[in-house]
Amino acid sequence: MGKYKRKSERKLVFTENILQSIRERIANGESKRHIAETLGIPESTLRKRLKCGTVPKSLGRFTAVFSAEQEKELANHIRKLDSMFYGISQKQLQFAAYVYAERKQLHHRFNKSKKMAGKDWIIAFKKRHGLTLRQPEKTSLARAAGFNKVQVGRFFDNLKSLITTHKFERAQIYNMDETGLLTVPNKMPKVLTSKGKKSVGKIVSAERGTLVTAVCCVSAAGHYIPPALIFPRKREKQELLDGAPAGSILMVSDSGFINTDLFLKWLKHFKSSAKASLESNHVLLTLDNHSSHISLEAILFCRENGIHLLSLPPHSSHKLQPLDVCFFQPLKTSYSVEVDKWHVNHPGRPITIYQVSSLFGAAYNRIANLEKAHKAFSCTGIYPFNPEVFSEEDFMGATVTERPINETFNEVVDPNDAVSPAVSSAISPDKQINIIENVSISFEDSEIRNMLLSAKPNYPVVLASANNPDIAISCQENTELNTNGEIEPDSSNRD
C-alpha cells in the first residue's frame, strides 16, 4: 500500500447541480448525445446517471473513513494543541484517529490489533490539511504562562502612557538586550556529504566554548548604538576589541555576564550615543527585567538624564523584545558562518576570545540594517504602536495555567533581597511612583514598615501587600511616613 501509485487520472465529474442542469437541458429539447459531447463525458455514463437518479460518491470500492467536517474538526484540534505548546506526535495522531473512528462508530480499515491508523492514512491526512512534522523548541512552563493577555495588556498600557505623555518619535524609542557569543557556536552551517553516512563532523576550537556577552541596542528608526562586549577577565586589554564594530566599548567581569556596575557603565555609553538629555531630548528604553537592570544607581542615572525605562513582562522577550524577535537569530547564524570561515583560513588554530570581536564585527556589520530595525519594532507592536499585533492564538499557551483573579500567589521574599518587578514597570524621570504588583510578602507588615523607615531609598516604589490589599507603603523623595508607618494623606497615591 505504501508504494501504491495511482494509474488513472479519473475524477468525480457528476454533482447534483450538473445532474439537475442535464435534466433541464433535456426538457428543453436537447439530445442526450449532444449534452454528453458538450460535457465531455460518455453518453452511456450520462444515461446511467439519469436512470439511477444519483451521483457517484467515490471512484472505487474504498470510501473515506471520516467526513470532510470530521477531518476538519480533527485538524483544528491538532492546531489548537500546537498553539498551546502541547502538540502531538505522528504516532499519537495514529492512536487518536483510531479512537475517534471507534467512538463515532464509523466503518474503517485501521489496524484493530495495534489500535492505530495506518501510516498511509496519516500521510494523506497531513497533505489534505496542510500539516507537517516539525522538531519543536523547548518552551518552559514559565514562558508559556508568562505571555498572557493581562501581562501584555499592562505593558502596552505603560507604553501608551509614556508615548502619549512625552510624544516620543521613532528615533527616541530604543530596545536593548544581551546575547552570548561562544568561541564554539552551538549551531554550525550545514555541509555536503555522501548519502547514508552515519556521522558528519566539522572542526571547532574545543569541546566547550568560552562565553563573551554582546550588549546590543537599536532604535525604531534604525539607529544602532555601538555594542558593548563583556569578556570573562579581570583586566581590560584593548586588543580584545580588534575588529569590533566602530564605537564598541570593552567591559570585563568574572563570569562574562552583565552586572549592575557594567549596566550603569553601559547606560553612560547609551546616553552619549543616543544624545539623551533631561532638558532637551528624552528617550524611551525598553528592556527586560533582569536584576542587573533595576539597581538604584541605574534608576537615578536615568532620572537625571531623561531616560525613561520600560520593562517587558517576565518570560515574554520571545514575543515582545524586538532584538530577540528579528535580530539575534540572523546575527548568531552569521557569526557561525564567520567562525567556520576562520577555521578554513586558519587550519589547526583554535579560536580564542581575542578573535571574537573581529568575527562578531563582520557578522554585526552584515546584519545591522534599517529593514531589520523597522521590522523588529513593528512585529512586536511597539512602533508603530499596535496593541492588537498578537492574536488569540498567541496567548493559547497561557490558557492551561489560568486561574480565578481572586487567587493569591504567595511568594516568600527575603527582606535582604532586591525585589524585582513581577510585571511590566515604567520608570520615568518625572514619574514619582513605580508600582511593583503581584508580589505577596510573607513577613508581617510591621517588619516592612520598620525596614522602609530605616532604609528609605531615594527611588520611587510602592509595595502593595497581598496579605492586606488596603496597606500600600510608599517610599520616595517627596513622601513622609508618620510614626505608625502610614502615608500622610496628601503625600502620595495609594496602589
Side-chain angles (χ1 to χ4, degrees), residues 282-320:
H282 285 223
V283 297
L284 172 60
L285 179 61
T286 61
L287 70 175
D288 58 45
N289 59 352
H290 189 265
S291 58
S292 63
H293 299 161
I294 55 174
S295 67
L296 173 60
E297 293 81 4
I299 294 173
L300 289 176
F301 177 84
C302 291
R303 175 183 293 178
E304 294 166 358
N305 292 278
I307 301 173
H308 300 254
L309 298 178
L310 177 60
S311 70
L312 303 172
H315 310 292
S316 64
S317 61
H318 62 297
K319 293 283 191 179
L320 286 173

Side-chain angles (χ1 to χ4, degrees), residues 18-28 49-50 53-54:
I18 293 177
L19 186 60
Q20 182 63 29
S21 66
I22 290 174
R23 287 171 177 162
E24 291 174 358
R25 291 173 67 178
I26 292 175
N28 292 332
R49 290 302 154 203
L50 287 172
T54 59

Side-chain angles (χ1 to χ4, degrees), residues 74-93:
L74 183 59
N76 289 339
H77 181 65
I78 293 170
R79 291 190 178 94
K80 184 177 180 181
L81 289 174
D82 174 54
S83 64
M84 297 170 68
F85 302 105
Y86 286 90
I88 62 175
S89 65
Q90 183 164 296
K91 180 166 283 189
Q92 288 172 326
L93 175 57

Side-chain angles (χ1 to χ4, degrees), residues 102-234:
E102 286 288 313
R103 289 186 180 178
K104 291 287 185 180
Q105 297 182 350
L106 301 174
H107 174 71
H108 62 82
R109 299 174 302 281
F110 296 152
N111 192 320
K112 294 187 177 181
S113 60
K114 294 183 178 179
K115 296 185 177 181
M116 57 191 298
K119 186 176 180 181
D120 294 321
W121 184 89
I122 292 294
I123 293 172
F125 175 80
K126 291 191 299 182
K127 186 177 181 180
R128 286 193 297 271
H129 296 279
L131 300 173
T132 184
L133 203 61
R134 295 279 299 275
Q135 180 67 42
E137 295 181 6
K138 291 180 285 186
T139 304
S140 66
L141 285 172
R143 176 161 287 191
F147 188 76
N148 57 70
K149 274 189 174 181
V150 177
Q151 296 279 44
V152 174
R154 186 178 286 113
F155 167 77
F156 280 110
D157 288 343
N158 288 337
L159 178 62
K160 181 179 179 180
S161 175
L162 288 170
I163 293 178
T164 304
T165 303
H166 301 282
K167 305 293 189 294
F168 287 122
E169 299 293 337
R170 182 191 291 268
Q172 296 172 293
I173 302 176
Y174 288 84
N175 174 241
M176 72 82 63
D177 196 17
E178 304 91 2
T179 188
L181 304 171
L182 291 168
T183 54
V184 179
N186 292 325
K187 198 171 183 180
M188 298 297 293
K190 293 182 179 180
V191 297
L192 293 173
T193 186
S194 301
K195 270 189 175 182
K197 188 176 180 180
K198 292 184 178 180
S199 179
V200 180
K202 186 73 174 177
I203 287 294
V204 293
S205 297
E207 296 296 331
R208 298 179 62 184
T210 303
L211 175 73
V212 176
T213 299
V215 185
C216 300
C217 183
V218 63
S219 76
H223 173 217
Y224 288 83
I225 303 295
L229 294 174
I230 306 174
F231 291 87
R233 289 177 56 86
K234 291 288 187 182

Side-chain angles (χ1 to χ4, degrees), residues 399-416:
T399 57
V400 296
T401 58
E402 286 181 348
R403 58 186 179 181
I405 196 169
N406 57 357
E407 290 188 17
T408 303
F409 177 75
N410 293 318
E411 180 181 356
V412 177
V413 181
D414 188 339
N416 298 320

